[in-house]
Amino acid sequence: MIEKYQPRYLAYCAEHGMTPEEMMAHDLIRFPGGKMAGFLIWSRKAAKSARGEG
């Protein structure tokens, strides 16, 4: 079986209390220029936090 979503995206969805499908629909409205923008912003903040930068 091929995984449909990567673990980091699933963590992003879980943090927001949504399924991946719900999260994509939500982010498509919130970020009309790019539905993955929310994940990219979240991912960057998480990486900075893990490094102790914020």
Side-chain angles (χ1 to χ4, degrees):
M1 182 175 104
I2 297 173
E3 295 295 323
K4 190 172 180 180
Y5 301 102
Q6 64 165 284
R8 285 180 292 176
Y9 188 73
L10 293 175
Y12 168 67
C13 297
E15 187 171 305
H16 290 87
M18 297 184 201
T19 67
E21 292 79 12
E22 292 169 335
M23 197 79 239
M24 283 209 193
H26 174 269
D27 283 352
L28 183 59
I29 294 167
R30 186 166 180 216
F31 303 102
K35 63 184 172 187
M36 295 305 291
F39 170 68
L40 295 173
I41 293 166
W42 174 87
S43 184
R44 184 176 172 114
K45 286 180 182 178
K48 285 180 78 172
S49 178
R51 291 190 306 264
E53 296 176 9

